[in-house]
Amino acid sequence: MSIEVLHLSKHFGTFTALHDVNLQVNSGELLALLGPSGSGKTTLLRVIAGLETADSGQVLFHGEDATDQHVRERQVGFVFQHYALFRNMTIFENVAFGLRVRPKKFRPSHAEIRDRVMALLHLVQLDWLADRYPHQLSGGQRQRIALARALAVEPKVLLLDEPFGALDAKVRKELRSWLRRLHDDMHITSVFVTHDQEEALEVADRVVVMNEGRIEQIGTPDEVYEQPASPFVYEFLGHVNLFHSRLHRGHAWIGDIAVAAPEHAEAEERSAIAYVRPHEIEVERVQTGGAAMAALVVHILSIGPIVRLELVRKNDEDITPIQVEISKERFRELQLTKGDEVFIKPRRLDLFPNQYEEASKSTRL
Amino acid sequence: MTAMTFPLPAGTRIQRATQEPAWVRWFLIGLALVFLTLFLFIPLVSVFYEAFKKGVDVYLASITDPDALSAIKLTLTVAAIAVPLNLVFGIAAAWAIAKFEFRGKNLLITLIDLPFSVSPVVSGLIYVLVFGLQGWFGPWLAEHDMKIIFAVPGIVLATVFVTVPFIARELIPLMQAQGTEEEEAAVVLGTSGWQTFYKVTLPNIKWGLLYGAILCNARAMGEFGAVSVVSGHIRGSTNTMPLHVEILYNEYNFAAAFAVASLLALLALVTLVLKTLVELRIKQQDTPRGSE
Amino acid sequence: MSTFKQHSILPGFNLAIGFTLLYLSLIVLIPLSAAFIRTAELTWSEFWTIVTAPRVMASYRLTFGASFAAAMVNAFFGLLVAWVLVRYHFPGKRIVDALVDLPFALPTAVAGIALTALYAGNGWIGQFLEPLGVKVAFTPLGIFVALTFIGLPFVVRTVQPVLEDIEAELEEAAATLGANRWQTFSMVIFPALFPALMTGFALAFARAIGEYGSVIFIAGNMPMVSEITPLLIITKLEQYDYAGATALSVVMLVISFILLLIINLLQWWSRRRSSKT
């Protein structure tokens, strides 16, 4: 079952939650909606589920318009951040709920309900808790029950709203890989919302990065991490250093060093921002061939196999420290201490020319 | 908060997932309002209607009648004694219960609530058993020419009894929720016990205190059953306003009865307004602490 | 120090607990114990004869019957009013919400004469009921009306906060699982409200049993027909039958205590049910 979202817009008062959003979720894939709070990711999920109504736009399930369908008829499985288990029912009754509320002619027999519920409880490895009440379970167990309950109605799509958001770090990691394995077994089209980039990159087939009600980028975890489509995605996914630079005839100038930028061959004296990941900066003791920036080591932090350096460029008014990550091995080789002078150069950088400048130039022409 | 404008959805849209259809909503609202109209609004309005039915002159004459004035005076006096007494009790009880851990606490809370579950008639009767002529201290009181039952002290005692829980039960949960950290911080900084109370605790509980006092006052002025048993119904002397209403009513002087009753109804309305305002203040006081 | 109290650096415990216990003893406990001690002067058979006399039994039946009926009506309409106040918007809602507490604030005598005037044969409401052959004032039905008025706020005010606290997600979860609104209400919302509803019912019932002021005006007070137990106590007192009045008081007190216990248990259950774990 595929999901298609066409031109969705949604406002809450003066706040724009969704701004002309288009999205295609392929059948059987596990998709992550990633973004900071207020980016519209939860609203998008709720509109897909039918819990929220969009101001305009369409939601299609398997090519069929579901926009005006009530949430009851959409056959979506929805998992809430805070589980939303029914406290007055046992675990068994919670999972059986969706089957028991069916109209008589569609309702499975008692024995069938029993079998299906127990099978699901077995799937989430909690069949021994069938007679307990939700308050007797841990957070991780509750979320697995919530998932079993959502799956009980054999939904066409599974929607999860920050499913691990309320859990502590360790349980979170376990459940994350468990969800991935479960999805690999069942191949149900799934969309989950998260603000945790690590979670999105680790679990999802594709990641949708959202910001201020718009989609910034859609791609595989590698694509969004390695080739961020916008400055926002760059800054949101992982650490990054910003350098102000000038583009001129196929070169980007950062201070007085030049880096080849063939894709900007036509640029004439345009300002741009260069993004460089901390692990893509080379550090040398001495200036070896080619341009390099001189910098001082101001802070050294060793985290497991990686050493994070904070450097400040010499002869520069910009005092924002540059973050560099090198391996412990390399660190030992360099024998760095605080206050040492080093020479750095970016191994790889991405350039985003100033949008405003371009706009003003074109109007001038 | 600024007014939010929700744009109306274009064309027909599905109803929200957790809302009933409009006809169900309006039917339920209608049903609730019909019930409340019959049982609340009409009785309230009828008090004022009956009070003014025979004209403003009769109304004014009824409430300025010497017996009525004396009843008003007695009611105010009783409330002026009962409310402060229960205020002091409420603070003491809440301080002990909310700020300390000791055995038998739940029993104590139940005991404080006890007068609420005792019938007003029984509340009056027990004082007759203690202080009445047939009672424990009756003969002794008679010997010393003192009168409690069928006199003002009995009315005060019965009123105090029925209003014991009001302030304490507002303060206890409030002070429990606030915990002891602020007071402990003050003590660590070197304040004395009274200073801690005045400077730290009192500002935190003042609205709850006022809330309890408003409710306590309304009940103190309006109490009928308990006071009726101990009063002796002596006109101009041991008649409170509710008792005066009863006497006038039983004499078929309906206009005068409702005139005095209208004053009590007005008191009830003022109580509700004050209560609503104080609730708003309490909500405001709680919000900055509660959010995030 | 003994294990009675845990250590605390805050001052004033001895003063506060001392004053609290003294005050409670003087105002509440000693007078209440008087009822029991005075009753103990009777023999068991004397006591039993008094509290099971036919006129007394009739008053129990009336008091409990009318109180139960009134509390039932209040449970239904109280839930309805709480629901409407929490879930819906309509003009004048704030005023309606504040006025729900009127029976707490209005002196019972005032309520009594107002209801009597309304439901008398020539009253605003009574005039429509009389042609139908329904007499309210001066009948047991009138007692039921007065007790309904008195108990109205209890259910509303116990259910309202619980209803406000029910997370929207529970209802949304039910909807995504295919439940319609009625199923969601009856299977998810109502069970969550039920302990609070029972608490409100018990509070309204307990209040109604002891009620005096609002009832005596509208009841007609005919022995064996429309005479409530609290009124019977007053009647005995006015006839200087102290023993009889005291014996009946003890019965009322014991019933009150049992109800108080039940209410405490219900509140404990309600808190447990609605606590978010």
Side-chain angles (χ1 to χ4, degrees):
Chain A
M1 169 71 66
S2 64
I3 308 171
E4 222 172 320
V5 165
L6 299 172
H7 303 294
L8 273 191
S9 288
K10 171 85 181 169
H11 302 263
F12 293 106
T14 52
F15 176 74
T16 305
L18 294 176
H19 193 279
D20 194 26
V21 168
N22 292 284
L23 176 66
Q24 164 88 37
V25 187
N26 301 325
S27 189
E29 82 172 327
L30 178 54
L31 187 90
L33 297 179
L34 175 66
S37 60
S39 60
K41 56 193 192 303
T42 292
T43 307
L44 176 57
L45 192 79
R46 289 170 61 85
V47 170
I48 293 173
L51 291 171
E52 209 82 62
T53 314
D55 299 338
S56 60
Q58 282 181 297
V59 176
L60 278 66
F61 283 175
H62 208 67
E64 276 176 50
D65 190 354
T67 316
D68 290 337
Q69 244 180 1
H70 192 271
V71 53
R72 275 196 296 280
E73 283 121 37
R74 290 200 191 185
Q75 285 184 273
V76 296
F78 202 99
V79 175
F80 295 84
Q81 179 176 4
H82 296 287
Y83 332 122
L85 294 179
F86 307 126
R87 305 184 246 283
N88 54 300
M89 299 180 200
T90 62
I91 297 308
F92 181 92
E93 288 166 337
N94 262 285
V95 179
F97 182 87
L99 301 171
R100 286 180 173 169
V101 295
R102 285 191 185 167
K104 264 222 170 77
K105 52 181 173 176
F106 302 113
R107 196 186 306 161
S109 72
H110 276 294
E112 281 172 302
I113 290 178
R114 216 197 124 67
D115 291 346
R116 196 179 312 168
V117 171
M118 288 319 286
L120 278 163
L121 287 177
H122 187 73
L123 179 76
V124 299
Q125 299 153 4
L126 291 174
D127 37 358
W128 50 287
L129 290 175
D131 296 326
R132 303 273 183 92
Y133 283 88
H135 68 90
Q136 295 169 302
L137 272 59
S138 71
Q141 289 172 332
R142 275 185 236 180
Q143 198 55 295
R144 283 194 271 167
I145 296 302
L147 191 63
R149 182 178 68 177
L151 292 173
V153 292
E154 293 175 327
K156 296 186 286 187
V157 299
L158 187 61
L159 307 172
L160 307 100
D161 184 11
E162 300 257 6
F164 314 124
L167 304 170
D168 57 49
K170 187 166 172 285
V171 182
R172 225 180 147 108
K173 284 210 155 162
E174 282 167 17
L175 270 192
R176 216 191 264 172
S177 49
W178 176 79
L179 177 70
R180 179 69 245 184
R181 288 200 303 277
L182 194 74
H183 183 266
D184 291 343
D185 291 345
M186 310 218 317
H187 282 295
I188 178 169
T189 311
S190 306
V191 181
F192 79 99
V193 160
T194 181
H195 64 264
D196 181 340
Q197 33 140 332
E198 200 184 312
E199 194 167 288
L201 298 179
E202 203 174 291
V203 179
D205 295 321
R206 286 197 305 153
V207 176
V208 177
V209 184
M210 292 189 70
N211 182 34
E212 291 180 342
R214 295 164 208 263
I215 291 179
E216 295 272 339
Q217 188 174 7
I218 306 176
T220 64
D222 276 348
E223 280 166 2
V224 293
Y225 189 78
E226 299 293 339
Q227 298 144 32
S230 68
F232 173 81
V233 180
Y234 233 123
E235 288 179 48
F236 192 70
L237 286 179
H239 297 287
V240 71
N241 292 298
L242 271 72
F243 295 97
H244 293 282
S245 69
R246 276 174 305 113
L247 287 177
H248 189 66
R249 300 193 177 172
H251 281 85
W253 291 82
I254 302 171
D256 49 7
I257 71 157
V259 180
E263 70 274 27
H264 295 291
E266 267 111 77
E268 298 262 354
E269 288 293 333
R270 276 189 70 186
S271 69
I273 294 178
Y275 286 82
V276 186
R277 298 268 188 222
H279 63 272
E280 303 206 276
I281 294 179
E282 260 174 61
V283 183
E284 297 288 352
R285 269 287 190 180
V286 289
Q287 189 148 17
T288 58
M293 285 176 271
L296 287 177
V297 178
V298 293
H299 197 75
I300 300 171
L301 186 67
S302 172
I303 316 157
I306 283 173
V307 177
R308 189 173 295 160
L309 306 174
E310 267 182 27
L311 311 175
V312 176
R313 278 160 73 186
K314 277 180 129 185
N315 320 319
D316 196 274
E317 68 278 12
D318 185 9
I319 46 131
T320 318
I322 301 163
Q323 309 270 351
V324 178
E325 281 174 12
I326 54 175
S327 69
K328 194 153 255 174
E329 237 167 57
R330 177 80 184 131
F331 176 72
R332 285 204 200 98
E333 252 172 58
L334 290 167
Q335 294 189 320
L336 289 176
T337 52
K338 220 162 139 179
D340 285 357
E341 193 189 39
V342 291
F343 294 90
I344 56 171
K345 61 180 170 197
R347 212 174 290 137
R348 220 200 77 191
L349 53 74
D350 271 313
L351 290 159
F352 292 95
N354 191 320
Q355 305 270 322
Y356 172 75
E357 223 170 72
E358 186 171 47
S360 59
K361 253 183 199 168
S362 58
T363 46
R364 231 180 285 151
L365 281 170
Chain B
M1 194 162 148
T2 52
M4 286 216 190
T5 51
F6 289 93
L8 283 172
T12 51
R13 285 283 170 178
I14 56 164
Q15 103 206 29
R16 282 211 44 205
T18 56
Q19 203 164 44
E20 296 78 27
W23 71 268
V24 174
R25 289 204 301 274
W26 287 109
F27 173 74
L28 294 178
I29 292 172
L31 195 61
L33 289 183
V34 165
F35 173 76
L36 291 178
T37 304
L38 276 177
F39 278 89
L40 282 185
F41 306 142
I42 294 184
L44 181 64
V45 171
S46 78
V47 173
F48 293 99
Y49 172 79
E50 298 280 344
F52 286 102
K53 204 157 78 173
K54 296 237 168 95
V56 179
D57 294 344
V58 176
Y59 181 84
L60 289 177
S62 306
I63 59 171
T64 50
D65 172 79
D67 288 345
L69 287 176
S70 136
I72 293 171
K73 210 178 121 200
L74 180 59
T75 293
L76 293 176
T77 310
V78 170
I81 301 171
V83 176
L85 273 179
N86 283 326
L87 197 75
V88 174
F89 166 75
I91 292 170
W95 180 265
I97 288 171
K99 303 291 178 187
F100 299 92
E101 287 305 320
F102 56 92
R103 280 197 293 171
K105 194 191 246 189
N106 285 329
L107 181 69
L108 185 60
I109 295 175
T110 310
L111 281 182
I112 292 171
D113 263 352
L114 206 55
F116 270 161
S117 53
V118 174
S119 170
V121 171
V122 177
S123 310
L125 175 85
I126 55 177
Y127 283 100
V128 175
L129 295 179
V130 175
F131 298 111
L133 263 182
Q134 313 282 321
W136 287 345
F137 302 113
W140 186 86
L141 287 167
E143 239 169 65
H144 292 77
D145 207 20
M146 282 194 281
K147 224 175 168 193
I148 289 185
I149 298 307
F150 305 139
V152 175
I155 296 174
V156 172
L157 278 173
T159 306
V160 169
F161 178 91
V162 294
T163 54
V164 157
F166 279 97
I167 295 168
R169 68 151 36 189
E170 285 308 323
L171 289 186
I172 291 168
L174 180 68
M175 283 167 72
Q176 275 176 333
Q178 286 171 350
T180 56
E181 280 175 24
E182 287 182 44
E183 282 82 6
E184 282 167 356
V187 170
V188 169
L189 291 170
T191 59
S192 74
W194 291 112
Q195 276 177 322
T196 308
F197 177 75
Y198 277 118
K199 300 221 162 116
V200 180
T201 312
L202 200 57
N204 279 339
I205 61 167
K206 61 179 181 218
W207 293 110
L209 205 62
L210 185 60
Y211 188 84
I214 291 167
L215 297 183
C216 182
N217 180 63
R219 181 71 192 268
M221 290 191 174
E223 178 51 30
F224 177 75
V227 170
S228 168
V229 175
V230 294
S231 129
H233 306 271
I234 304 159
R235 276 194 170 202
S237 152
T238 62
N239 250 0
T240 62
M241 287 169 79
L243 297 177
H244 192 58
V245 169
E246 185 198 19
I247 290 185
L248 292 171
Y249 189 86
N250 287 343
E251 287 170 348
Y252 301 102
N253 191 352
F254 294 142
F258 276 102
V260 178
S262 75
L263 293 180
L264 289 168
L266 207 61
L267 165 77
L269 288 178
V270 170
T271 301
L272 291 184
V273 170
L274 288 177
K275 182 178 160 293
T276 310
L277 291 178
V278 173
E279 274 167 353
L280 274 177
R281 286 308 297 257
I282 292 176
K283 233 178 229 168
Q284 282 170 2
Q285 202 181 24
D286 281 354
T287 343
R289 224 179 275 181
S291 65
E292 293 302 292
Chain C
M1 185 105 193
S2 71
T3 53
F4 163 63
K5 169 184 163 277
Q6 284 177 23
H7 179 74
S8 165
I9 64 160
L10 295 183
F13 178 74
N14 289 336
L15 179 65
I17 197 78
F19 179 75
T20 302
L21 292 177
L22 179 72
Y23 190 91
L24 269 185
S25 304
L26 289 180
I27 299 289
V28 180
L29 298 179
I30 294 174
L32 271 181
S33 68
F36 290 92
I37 294 169
R38 291 298 291 267
T39 304
E41 292 165 12
L42 297 170
T43 67
W44 177 251
S45 70
E46 281 172 332
F47 175 77
W48 192 251
T49 316
I50 293 171
V51 301
T52 57
R55 187 173 164 188
V56 177
M57 294 302 281
S59 82
Y60 295 152
R61 272 195 294 276
L62 176 66
T63 307
F64 282 88
S67 298
F68 188 81
M72 284 300 280
V73 167
N74 274 324
F76 177 79
F77 281 100
L79 178 62
L80 174 70
V81 170
W83 179 270
V84 165
L85 287 178
V86 173
R87 294 300 175 102
Y88 304 146
H89 293 277
F90 56 91
K93 179 169 140 169
R94 297 279 299 268
I95 296 169
V96 171
D97 196 356
L99 268 178
V100 164
D101 281 330
L102 183 71
F104 283 159
L106 192 70
T108 52
V110 179
I113 64 169
L115 289 171
T116 311
L118 282 179
Y119 285 92
N122 57 356
W124 284 354
I125 299 176
Q127 61 180 325
F128 298 108
L129 297 174
E130 189 129 291
L132 306 170
V134 180
K135 279 194 173 207
V136 179
F138 317 121
T139 69
L141 201 55
I143 299 174
F144 159 78
V145 168
L147 295 181
T148 305
F149 174 86
I150 285 301
L152 196 148
F154 288 99
V155 175
V156 180
R157 292 304 184 223
T158 47
V159 170
Q160 209 173 4
V162 181
L163 192 54
E164 276 167 359
D165 275 354
I166 291 184
E167 307 101 306
E169 280 104 46
L170 286 179
E171 291 170 54
E172 289 176 351
T176 60
L177 292 167
N180 62 35
R181 274 313 274 167
W182 173 248
Q183 287 170 324
T184 305
F185 177 79
S186 60
M187 296 171 77
V188 176
I189 303 172
F190 187 77
L193 295 180
F194 188 67
L197 187 66
M198 284 300 294
T199 309
F201 172 85
L203 285 169
F205 181 68
R207 171 73 200 263
I209 283 180
E211 180 55 22
Y212 173 71
S214 60
V215 175
I216 51 156
F217 296 98
I218 202 170
N221 307 328
M222 293 218 323
M224 304 298 291
V225 179
S226 56
E227 186 179 52
I228 55 167
T229 313
L231 178 68
L232 200 52
I233 295 176
I234 296 246
T235 310
K236 286 186 184 293
L237 210 54
E238 280 170 355
Q239 295 161 348
Y240 302 103
D241 177 7
Y242 283 90
T246 313
L248 282 186
S249 300
V250 164
V251 173
M252 296 285 290
L253 278 174
V254 169
I255 292 166
S256 307
F257 294 161
I258 293 171
L259 283 171
L260 187 66
L261 186 72
I262 292 173
I263 289 165
N264 276 338
L265 287 174
L266 283 171
Q267 278 170 337
W268 172 78
W269 181 34
S270 179
R271 264 198 304 275
R272 223 186 59 154
R273 179 63 76 87
S274 65
S275 70
K276 290 170 196 156
T277 38

